[in-house]
Each structure stands twice: as C-alpha cells, then as structure tokens.
Amino acid sequence: MRIKPLVTFSLIIFAIIFLAIIIGDYLAVKYPANIQPVQGLLIPSSIAIAPTPTATSSPKNRLPRNASSATPLATLTPTPKPTTVSNGGVSMADVAKHNSANDCWLAISGKAYNVTSYVGSHPGGQGTILNSCGTEVSGIFASIHSNFAWNLLGQYYVAPIN
C-alpha cells in the first residue's frame, strides 16, 4: 500500500512540531524564564551578581594567578534573618502576626518561613510576597515555583505549623 505524498508530508510536519514541543518543554523546565545559567549555576535573574575583579595596572587590584574570579554562591542569595522558636512549632495565629514588609512570614505546606530578607530579591516583585505576608500560600507557591525556588525556600524555614 502506497502512502500519498501529502499524507507523508503531513506526518513529517507533525513529527517536527511534536519534537519542537517536547524539546521546548524540556528547556523550559531546565531553564525557566526567570533563571539564567551563570558559571554552571542557575541563578534567578533578579539577584544581582557582583562584578568579578579584573586585572588593572594597579597591583592592588590584580587577582593572584591561582585565584578564581568566580562569584561564590553565598554572595548570590540573600542571607535569611535568623528566627528562634522556643516551643518547636508555631500556630497560624503566630504566622499571621508577621504580616508586614519588615517582618514577613509565609505558611507553605505546613511549615512557617521568614522571608523578610528575601522580599526585595523576589523575581516576581516585592508586591507578590508583601500581599501574602502572614498567610497560607501553599497552593499558589506550588503552582508557580520551580525546584530552585523550593530549594531556596529551605533557607528561610522557621518551624512546623501546629
């Protein structure tokens, strides 16, 4: 049985489109729009990366030959504000008290997070977080954020919610 040229052409076009969609989805998962690859690390584009030192005519500004000009990861993410919880857990009423730009906690998946120091670095803008301070945001957080964000969130963990 012979396949007509139009059917063959259609199947080839379908295969090309299918592969483009699969590859596009793979790349979108690997490199979300707000993430850029930097020296082998995925860094949110909203986080400022300190310029690397360069050699100049001044010996004080030169890097030693064996020095790396790579920016350490610790300088790329905001440092979380330490929070202590005496009883090992917090209630939603406790989380609700932390509802301002200067003291912002979120409840996500049964855990409290103090994201105050991260608000200014959020790729979606400060308002996105500030509108939710002191509330439970598991659904919206899970529906929008990548594994990178989930891993970053761990740095801001306070306590389980009782």
Side-chain angles (χ1 to χ4, degrees), residues 18-113:
F18 178 77
L19 287 174
I21 291 170
I22 297 298
I23 291 170
D25 285 347
Y26 170 76
L27 292 177
V29 169
K30 189 167 184 178
Y31 299 106
N34 67 329
I35 303 289
Q36 61 180 346
V38 175
Q39 298 173 353
L41 301 172
L42 294 178
I43 310 292
S45 56
S46 64
I47 295 177
I49 299 174
T52 56
T54 56
T56 64
S57 58
S58 168
K60 288 183 179 179
N61 294 334
R62 287 194 185 154
L63 285 173
R65 287 185 187 258
N66 61 353
S68 168
S69 63
T71 306
L73 183 58
T75 64
L76 301 176
T77 56
T79 305
K81 184 170 135 185
T83 305
T84 56
V85 176
S86 60
N87 65 357
V90 296
S91 67
M92 271 308 297
D94 293 326
V95 173
K97 293 175 188 174
H98 303 275
N99 59 4
S100 69
N102 296 326
D103 186 18
C104 181
W105 286 21
L106 299 175
I108 302 171
S109 300
K111 298 176 183 177
Y113 297 91

